[in-house]
Amino acid sequence: MATRFDLENIDIAWCPGCGNYSIHNILKAALEELDIDPKNLVIVSGIGQAAKAPQYIRCNYFNGLHGRSLPVAVGIKASNPNLTVIVESGDGCMYGEGGNHFVHAIRRNSNITVIVHNNMVYGLTKGQASPTSQRGFTTSVQVAGVLNEPFNPIAVALSLKCSFVARAFCGDIQQTKEIIKRAILHEGFALIDIFQPCVTFNKINTYKWFKENTYYMKDHDETDIRKAFERALEESPLPLGVFYVEKRPTFESQQRIYKNSLEPLFKRKHSVEQIMNLIESKRRW
Amino acid sequence: MATRFDLENIDIAWCPGCGNYSIHNILKAALEELDIDPKNLVIVSGIGQAAKAPQYIRCNYFNGLHGRSLPVAVGIKASNPNLTVIVESGDGCMYGEGGNHFVHAIRRNSNITVIVHNNMVYGLTKGQASPTSQRGFTTSVQVAGVLNEPFNPIAVALSLKCSFVARAFCGDIQQTKEIIKRAILHEGFALIDIFQPCVTFNKINTYKWFKENTYYMKDHDETDIRKAFERALEESPLPLGVFYVEKRPTFESQQRIYKNSLEPLFKRKHSVEQIMNLIESKRRW
Amino acid sequence: MELSILICGEAGQGIQTIEYLFPNVLKDSGLNVYSYKEYMSRVRGGSNSTLIRVSDRPVRAFCRKVDVLVSLSSQTTHLSRLSDRIDSDAIIILDSDSNTKLYHNGKIIHQVPISKLALQAGNKVYSNSVVLGMLCSILNLPFENALSAIEKWFCNKGGNICEENKIAAKLGYENISTNSDLRIRKDFNSDPRVKEHLLINGAEAVAIGALAGGCNFVSSYPMSPSTGVLTNLAAYSREFDIIVEQAEDEISAINMALGAWYAGARALVTTSGGGFALMVEALSLAGAIESPIVIHLAQRPGPATGLPTRTEQADLLFALFSGHGEFERVILAPGNIEQAFSCTAKAFEISDKYQVPVFVLTDQYLMDTIYNFDSLKKVEPCFNHVVKTTDNYKRYEITQDGISPRGIPGFGDGLVCVDSDEHDEFGRITENFTIRKKMVEKRLRKLKDFSDEVPAELIGNEDYRYLILCFGSTREIVVEAVKDFDEVAVVHLQQIHPLPSNLSRYLRMAQKVLIVESNATSQLGKLIKMDLGFNNFETLNKYNGLPFYVEEVRDFAKRFVKGEI
Amino acid sequence: MELSILICGEAGQGIQTIEYLFPNVLKDSGLNVYSYKEYMSRVRGGSNSTLIRVSDRPVRAFCRKVDVLVSLSSQTTHLSRLSDRIDSDAIIILDSDSNTKLYHNGKIIHQVPISKLALQAGNKVYSNSVVLGMLCSILNLPFENALSAIEKWFCNKGGNICEENKIAAKLGYENISTNSDLRIRKDFNSDPRVKEHLLINGAEAVAIGALAGGCNFVSSYPMSPSTGVLTNLAAYSREFDIIVEQAEDEISAINMALGAWYAGARALVTTSGGGFALMVEALSLAGAIESPIVIHLAQRPGPATGLPTRTEQADLLFALFSGHGEFERVILAPGNIEQAFSCTAKAFEISDKYQVPVFVLTDQYLMDTIYNFDSLKKVEPCFNHVVKTTDNYKRYEITQDGISPRGIPGFGDGLVCVDSDEHDEFGRITENFTIRKKMVEKRLRKLKDFSDEVPAELIGNEDYRYLILCFGSTREIVVEAVKDFDEVAVVHLQQIHPLPSNLSRYLRMAQKVLIVESNATSQLGKLIKMDLGFNNFETLNKYNGLPFYVEEVRDFAKRFVKGEI
Ligand SMILES: Cc1ncc(C[n+]2csc(CCOP(=O)(O)OP(=O)(O)O)c2C)c(N)n1
Ligand SMILES: Cc1ncc(C[n+]2csc(CCOP(=O)(O)OP(=O)(O)O)c2C)c(N)n1
Ligand code: SF4
Ligand code: SF4
Ligand SMILES: [Mg+2]
Ligand SMILES: [Mg+2]
């Protein structure tokens, strides 16, 4: 599907067959269906294969440091709440290097959408384990296989009362697109962890593996955090869909300066007089 | 109670009435009862009021950087598994600055005990909000009150399948001591979040408040992570006790080099011959 | 006429209140006042002190000499700790149950029942009011002056507090008036203009300077001695359009601030050495994406945690060379409170104009220094450097001066793409060798024509033979130290990088140069060797955590002039 | 006799296999070989190339000239990207369906059906074996040499793979043998000693050097170009007693390593600029607690993410001044593969002895350079500097040389207390001004008597008039560039800080000095101004992401000697 987000003549650096392509196309389709203006869209990413994604979409982007996409996104959204802000990064970027921001950005509940391309491996640096790599996964660094308990982003997000928590699989275009659309429309921090096969470095968690080891939740009560947590602990098969949704004031909506107007910071007046008054007040105490 | 861990002529920098004193005394008593040799004990801390604790105990200590106690402790324990390694720090140090290490050290399951003095405030820097500060708590920085969802260390630890998760209140010496003893004896990463009134900067969460807003769990199944999570979500009153225990191989026990012997690294031989052989092997391919 | 008063005691005993009230009383009485506190990294106990200098001429510097020492504590340990500052002619007052004299290390100690008087007034915690009364009496100020201070401070606290504090002050005042040994009664000339002066500390000056520079976003993590700037801005956020966010760590703080600049805000981070160390990767990011960012770096003694509440100037070369890869930056180091304001305001303008990180390099000494002064530099309306983008906008257009017009998302028809990887003019990732080379050169070209925003300042005799060079917060100390010397001039630097173009001439005109720095390795000296090829100087260093005393700079300078150094 | 071969194509097309197999074939044939790859930061596609130089004399440097270019891709974009390296006399071979000639930008292109031959052998992916066969034929090597390489590499992979690759190689070999245009048949003199040489890259040399230095703990986070050291050590961990841990981030990595040293391990972190930027706070911690730590810093072009897989020497001053507060460190920058080994081994010894951080400063160029050489420095048994503690042990005992005997917990009767705050001799927190001063001086005294571990190395004419100074990985390039020049000598630095004491004399003996650095701001030059007060030099810089070509250094040096520069 052609969208207003397509770029011409670009050289996409992903491997043929990589799951990133389908996330890329799904996202563009979702944005198109939501009728979002590229000029009003900012995609923020870190560093990694997934993090190259904004380079391939017509939009504003901030391709920052490995692991640091979330604080950048929070800063952007807080400075101009009228922008649509999406974060797109890899599992290593978001849950490894960026783990502390993941935890605390969720607590803030900024109105941003966070799409994690979870391929359970470090792609760009050529195949080391990521926090979501499964036990026993062997790599050039984890020569005896991964020893750590895998990081469960869904469970962690729930434990932080993340206001929108979902998991998807990039092999399923339709349902993933619907989840992304819901996430973008959600007012608050929306996490979508998307399973994405890395055809080059992850020979375990392949398209086939994901297909065989996932299922969509049915009759799941999205407002029950306890149930959501129980679901999050399920391992084989792994549930897909929206685990939890909660309506809570966003970071931006709680700022004094946005109580009466959403005018972005750059449009606000610099009042020399107000500052002079402050200074003059320091002559008295 | 006099213990082998007492130091003479020390000037303790805590405020009179601070909850840190009782954690300090409880810990010494627990160590005494466990008959631990101070020479074999290392306490690792970060920076903050709580983090001064090791200065006041007769033991080896590594008082490192704000937020960075956990990786240090992991490095120590991995280099010499015969040492008893305890981490002691504040809520800001552990869950704020050190949040990423908290997440990933739990996944590693090093055999260390982590005691968090949770006073829901930044004490040493004079009263700003910490990740565990309650909503609405006003400070000199949070002038309009805390806007973020408080960090729930118990829930987060559970979402990471932490192998020992407990909460205590320093006002209750007996039960806190028993929990600490169990934590030290536990093989694996043991977290104890201890409520600790800061009499100077936290006028909300006082001794009285903690007494009135906590209760001990009874008939709780410590092996059921789902139940534990449900308990962890309870907010008023807040449950105390051991939420969850799981037996899982530790980080150290999974290292190849400790499969046959626990001899610490510093005692192992540097084999010139083995290295020469490696080098010589590079003449062929 | 001048008097130097040192108040000491434990944290929590009320020094802070006196340190706030008494200078205000003095200023209201038309007297010039200076104060600086040295304190331990703890909330209660320990041993702290605050120096308050009173004068009928402006006073702005830390000195060793103490004329009157008041201890809020009955413990003589405080006296021992301060003993090298207490000469034999100092009047020493110690809290005690009795009203008698005592001898300690050969010095007379006047005992005054400070806390007893407080208790008599109603509560031991009124000791600070007792001392306020005492100090007013010692200076022969009308009691009304103390009274109005107490009214301002305590009389919104409800209950009997106000009245009881007044009684406490009165008791203190009278205790001194009736004690012939302690009536100093120096006669100060009150200057009515002083009453109209400003009285703020360095932290407030930086915070207000930020507002003047158009700052509307601050994200930081608490760290002494930089936190004051954050709390001041937080207080102003009740009325000013500024977002104040305490981040989970310093890495988040600076990345948030970069996001804010990207979206059109003017963002500040305030931190100290250890916190800044965590920001270094993002500093390099700012260099790569050519984002403005203002970093207030309040120095304290390192390495690592070091002495968290004390002062040092040892992060200069760290600030200059931090960050991987090569990119430009500007470093400003204000010399006093007025400059703390003006440098910070200027930092935003420079950062926005040149699209480079700008440091405001202060330290605990400047943060916690208070003195009265006439006025601050005029606040200028902010010039907004952001452009409205057009279709096909190039964020990194190669220009002659290396500066590309900066657009922001949602303002204009273009897309604003920034990339931490090497990129082309559109901000898209590239590995083209030619573009890489051009981009490196563009980034390094930006300060080629940097006109001196703050030239080196020559203070004193223009026909000097001896030159004393200093930077940042040592300015007033050095100036006072050598003010009566012939043939000596001081050059003070606010602009550390790029070095101002007039510096070299000043240095080369001198017969001998002395560089005074609060660090152990003479970092400014190294910089001058490196940047100016100027190697011929002596150094004076201090690195025990305290600022220089006027006296020690004076003594050293004397020997330097005499040729003994 | 020498030949320079460039193999290019997309990532994933098999260049890597050739780059591994062919040098080994050459060495086994008694020929000297050098190789270096330049590649994009992507896993598939793009455009990469590997230079392989063959010679009957040792070859160790990157050069511009290409005699034979083989493109694994049929796309001419690769040729365009490399066009400035392809002179008119170069033989260009391009994969194609046909076996005919073609003209591209005025040059003849020989088309060879590489992938077609591979397919004919069984699979398109055998292209690399076809090329291996071709290369052997071009060099007039017996086909058996190619064959045995293929057997070693493919014949444990099962199935028909081995046989089919042999066929592919054969097809490639024959294609060339029967193509009169492509029979180059230069006659190399085989040297039987070369067959016994070592053949490793820089990353392996650092990893093995770490083992030789007693490294038994490595905690790191993957980052190009430093990851190779981590993966090599991980491979060795199957047999050696070494703990290898991938940390969640670089902050964790270095703090873990400091914990490991504290408990008696010898720990390494390996990282690149951006990762190191995150370690800066803990570097300062190492300074404060006087912990040894070895940091392998493999440089790449910045700022920020920059060019992740390319080379630069722009983190020298960053490494030197990073960290808040003042403390000592040592920086070593090996000049070639043998030195990569010896510097790393030495780094552990120095770090343990002086209790300071030691940097091994390399870059992508050195990491990815391969050549054959005779031997490495002898491995010495590690001298363990740790002491068994006695009761009342003082971790920070003030000593004359500033070095306090280092104990570890659980070894002896003492307690080992380390504190990031300022501390007394026992390691307990203190705010005593006198102790503070002593501790600063103690920490800064440690390298006062640093005997030159690696003196500056003079290469060439001792009666030089012109001196070329360089550091780190440019050594072999500069040496080859000026080897035939009269009156020119090269001084190469491995020890960058402290600067070796013999450097100054070398510099001052020269009539003219040229400093060659792979960065834009002449960082070594700045250092020499600052440390030696030596200002009189010219500079040659490169910063497009590629290493210097021998030729460009030679041309510049020529003009320099002629006085044109
Ligand atoms: C501070 C820092 N450390 C390390 C790196 C190197 N690095 C780049 S991408 C990456 C991992 C990428 O993994 P992930 O985020 O899962 O993305 P993927 O490539 O798998 O999509 C690493 C370690 C870096 N760029 N910066
Ligand atoms: C990198 C860094 N950032 C900030 C600080 C300043 N700092 C010291 S302690 C502290 C907070 C302490 O809070 P907490 O960990 O809850 O301990 P408490 O004092 O409450 O016991 C902060 C922000 C520091 N030392 N280092
Ligand atoms: S390495 Fe893996 S994640 Fe990266 S582009 Fe290739 S398939 Fe995708
Ligand atoms: S400030 Fe609070 S936490 Fe710190 S010592 Fe005082 S009471 Fe305890
Ligand atoms: Mg990944
Ligand atoms: Mg706390």
Side-chain angles (χ1 to χ4, degrees), chain B residues 14-28:
Chain B
W14 293 321
C15 310
C18 174
N20 284 329
Y21 289 100
S22 83
I23 299 181
H24 176 65
N25 291 328
I26 296 168
L27 176 61
K28 287 198 294 184

PDB file of all heavy atoms in Angstrom, chain B residues 14-28:
ATOM      1  N   TRP B  14      23.874  10.100  60.743  1.00  0.00           N
ATOM      2  CA  TRP B  14      22.418  10.153  60.588  1.00  0.00           C
ATOM      3  C   TRP B  14      21.766  11.063  61.618  1.00  0.00           C
ATOM      4  O   TRP B  14      22.291  11.250  62.726  1.00  0.00           O
ATOM      5  CB  TRP B  14      21.824   8.751  60.708  1.00  0.00           C
ATOM      6  CG  TRP B  14      22.206   7.833  59.594  1.00  0.00           C
ATOM      7  CD1 TRP B  14      22.320   8.148  58.278  1.00  0.00           C
ATOM      8  CD2 TRP B  14      22.526   6.440  59.705  1.00  0.00           C
ATOM      9  NE1 TRP B  14      22.688   7.032  57.554  1.00  0.00           N
ATOM     10  CE2 TRP B  14      22.821   5.974  58.400  1.00  0.00           C
ATOM     11  CE3 TRP B  14      22.579   5.530  60.762  1.00  0.00           C
ATOM     12  CZ2 TRP B  14      23.157   4.648  58.149  1.00  0.00           C
ATOM     13  CZ3 TRP B  14      22.921   4.210  60.509  1.00  0.00           C
ATOM     14  CH2 TRP B  14      23.208   3.778  59.212  1.00  0.00           C
ATOM     15  N   CYS B  15      20.599  11.566  61.294  1.00  0.00           N
ATOM     16  CA  CYS B  15      19.841  12.406  62.226  1.00  0.00           C
ATOM     17  C   CYS B  15      19.338  11.556  63.393  1.00  0.00           C
ATOM     18  O   CYS B  15      18.994  10.387  63.214  1.00  0.00           O
ATOM     19  CB  CYS B  15      18.602  12.987  61.548  1.00  0.00           C
ATOM     20  SG  CYS B  15      18.921  13.768  59.967  1.00  0.00           S
ATOM     21  N   PRO B  16      19.227  12.169  64.560  1.00  0.00           N
ATOM     22  CA  PRO B  16      18.618  11.460  65.680  1.00  0.00           C
ATOM     23  C   PRO B  16      17.205  11.017  65.293  1.00  0.00           C
ATOM     24  O   PRO B  16      16.475  11.776  64.663  1.00  0.00           O
ATOM     25  CB  PRO B  16      18.558  12.532  66.782  1.00  0.00           C
ATOM     26  CG  PRO B  16      19.548  13.576  66.389  1.00  0.00           C
ATOM     27  CD  PRO B  16      19.645  13.539  64.894  1.00  0.00           C
ATOM     28  N   GLY B  17      16.884   9.782  65.626  1.00  0.00           N
ATOM     29  CA  GLY B  17      15.536   9.289  65.351  1.00  0.00           C
ATOM     30  C   GLY B  17      15.366   8.665  63.979  1.00  0.00           C
ATOM     31  O   GLY B  17      14.312   8.099  63.668  1.00  0.00           O
ATOM     32  N   CYS B  18      16.391   8.739  63.160  1.00  0.00           N
ATOM     33  CA  CYS B  18      16.295   8.203  61.800  1.00  0.00           C
ATOM     34  C   CYS B  18      16.136   6.683  61.820  1.00  0.00           C
ATOM     35  O   CYS B  18      16.764   5.989  62.619  1.00  0.00           O
ATOM     36  CB  CYS B  18      17.557   8.554  61.017  1.00  0.00           C
ATOM     37  SG  CYS B  18      17.593   7.791  59.384  1.00  0.00           S
ATOM     38  N   GLY B  19      15.312   6.175  60.913  1.00  0.00           N
ATOM     39  CA  GLY B  19      15.099   4.742  60.814  1.00  0.00           C
ATOM     40  C   GLY B  19      16.338   3.958  60.432  1.00  0.00           C
ATOM     41  O   GLY B  19      16.396   2.737  60.632  1.00  0.00           O
ATOM     42  N   ASN B  20      17.344   4.647  59.905  1.00  0.00           N
ATOM     43  CA  ASN B  20      18.562   3.927  59.525  1.00  0.00           C
ATOM     44  C   ASN B  20      19.220   3.248  60.718  1.00  0.00           C
ATOM     45  O   ASN B  20      19.814   2.184  60.577  1.00  0.00           O
ATOM     46  CB  ASN B  20      19.572   4.890  58.885  1.00  0.00           C
ATOM     47  CG  ASN B  20      19.191   5.246  57.455  1.00  0.00           C
ATOM     48  OD1 ASN B  20      18.597   4.441  56.746  1.00  0.00           O
ATOM     49  ND2 ASN B  20      19.530   6.455  57.040  1.00  0.00           N
ATOM     50  N   TYR B  21      19.118   3.867  61.887  1.00  0.00           N
ATOM     51  CA  TYR B  21      19.751   3.270  63.068  1.00  0.00           C
ATOM     52  C   TYR B  21      19.203   1.878  63.329  1.00  0.00           C
ATOM     53  O   TYR B  21      19.945   0.957  63.648  1.00  0.00           O
ATOM     54  CB  TYR B  21      19.524   4.137  64.307  1.00  0.00           C
ATOM     55  CG  TYR B  21      20.305   5.424  64.300  1.00  0.00           C
ATOM     56  CD1 TYR B  21      19.705   6.614  63.938  1.00  0.00           C
ATOM     57  CD2 TYR B  21      21.656   5.446  64.665  1.00  0.00           C
ATOM     58  CE1 TYR B  21      20.414   7.803  63.927  1.00  0.00           C
ATOM     59  CE2 TYR B  21      22.376   6.631  64.658  1.00  0.00           C
ATOM     60  CZ  TYR B  21      21.754   7.814  64.288  1.00  0.00           C
ATOM     61  OH  TYR B  21      22.458   8.978  64.270  1.00  0.00           O
ATOM     62  N   SER B  22      17.900   1.750  63.211  1.00  0.00           N
ATOM     63  CA  SER B  22      17.391   0.439  63.585  1.00  0.00           C
ATOM     64  C   SER B  22      17.730  -0.596  62.525  1.00  0.00           C
ATOM     65  O   SER B  22      18.057  -1.731  62.857  1.00  0.00           O
ATOM     66  CB  SER B  22      15.914   0.502  63.961  1.00  0.00           C
ATOM     67  OG  SER B  22      15.119   0.445  62.832  1.00  0.00           O
ATOM     68  N   ILE B  23      17.734  -0.206  61.249  1.00  0.00           N
ATOM     69  CA  ILE B  23      18.159  -1.178  60.227  1.00  0.00           C
ATOM     70  C   ILE B  23      19.600  -1.618  60.521  1.00  0.00           C
ATOM     71  O   ILE B  23      19.940  -2.803  60.445  1.00  0.00           O
ATOM     72  CB  ILE B  23      18.077  -0.571  58.811  1.00  0.00           C
ATOM     73  CG1 ILE B  23      16.634  -0.173  58.503  1.00  0.00           C
ATOM     74  CG2 ILE B  23      18.617  -1.547  57.767  1.00  0.00           C
ATOM     75  CD1 ILE B  23      16.413   0.408  57.122  1.00  0.00           C
ATOM     76  N   HIS B  24      20.392  -0.639  60.851  1.00  0.00           N
ATOM     77  CA  HIS B  24      21.793  -0.866  61.180  1.00  0.00           C
ATOM     78  C   HIS B  24      21.927  -1.896  62.306  1.00  0.00           C
ATOM     79  O   HIS B  24      22.668  -2.884  62.198  1.00  0.00           O
ATOM     80  CB  HIS B  24      22.365   0.498  61.583  1.00  0.00           C
ATOM     81  CG  HIS B  24      23.767   0.492  62.042  1.00  0.00           C
ATOM     82  ND1 HIS B  24      24.812   0.162  61.218  1.00  0.00           N
ATOM     83  CD2 HIS B  24      24.306   0.803  63.251  1.00  0.00           C
ATOM     84  CE1 HIS B  24      25.932   0.263  61.903  1.00  0.00           C
ATOM     85  NE2 HIS B  24      25.660   0.646  63.134  1.00  0.00           N
ATOM     86  N   ASN B  25      21.180  -1.693  63.362  1.00  0.00           N
ATOM     87  CA  ASN B  25      21.275  -2.606  64.511  1.00  0.00           C
ATOM     88  C   ASN B  25      20.705  -3.984  64.192  1.00  0.00           C
ATOM     89  O   ASN B  25      21.255  -5.002  64.595  1.00  0.00           O
ATOM     90  CB  ASN B  25      20.562  -2.004  65.714  1.00  0.00           C
ATOM     91  CG  ASN B  25      21.325  -0.789  66.228  1.00  0.00           C
ATOM     92  OD1 ASN B  25      22.556  -0.737  66.144  1.00  0.00           O
ATOM     93  ND2 ASN B  25      20.599   0.204  66.721  1.00  0.00           N
ATOM     94  N   ILE B  26      19.625  -3.977  63.460  1.00  0.00           N
ATOM     95  CA  ILE B  26      19.020  -5.257  63.099  1.00  0.00           C
ATOM     96  C   ILE B  26      19.990  -6.065  62.241  1.00  0.00           C
ATOM     97  O   ILE B  26      20.186  -7.257  62.447  1.00  0.00           O
ATOM     98  CB  ILE B  26      17.694  -5.035  62.321  1.00  0.00           C
ATOM     99  CG1 ILE B  26      16.659  -4.341  63.217  1.00  0.00           C
ATOM    100  CG2 ILE B  26      17.151  -6.355  61.801  1.00  0.00           C
ATOM    101  CD1 ILE B  26      15.431  -3.832  62.463  1.00  0.00           C
ATOM    102  N   LEU B  27      20.614  -5.391  61.295  1.00  0.00           N
ATOM    103  CA  LEU B  27      21.543  -6.098  60.407  1.00  0.00           C
ATOM    104  C   LEU B  27      22.701  -6.689  61.209  1.00  0.00           C
ATOM    105  O   LEU B  27      23.076  -7.856  61.017  1.00  0.00           O
ATOM    106  CB  LEU B  27      22.068  -5.162  59.318  1.00  0.00           C
ATOM    107  CG  LEU B  27      23.118  -5.782  58.387  1.00  0.00           C
ATOM    108  CD1 LEU B  27      22.558  -6.988  57.637  1.00  0.00           C
ATOM    109  CD2 LEU B  27      23.636  -4.750  57.372  1.00  0.00           C
ATOM    110  N   LYS B  28      23.244  -5.906  62.121  1.00  0.00           N
ATOM    111  CA  LYS B  28      24.354  -6.422  62.922  1.00  0.00           C
ATOM    112  C   LYS B  28      23.912  -7.648  63.734  1.00  0.00           C
ATOM    113  O   LYS B  28      24.628  -8.647  63.803  1.00  0.00           O
ATOM    114  CB  LYS B  28      24.897  -5.323  63.842  1.00  0.00           C
ATOM    115  CG  LYS B  28      25.697  -4.257  63.087  1.00  0.00           C
ATOM    116  CD  LYS B  28      26.599  -3.427  63.996  1.00  0.00           C
ATOM    117  CE  LYS B  28      25.796  -2.590  64.967  1.00  0.00           C
ATOM    118  NZ  LYS B  28      26.647  -1.706  65.787  1.00  0.00           N
TER     119      LYS B  28
END
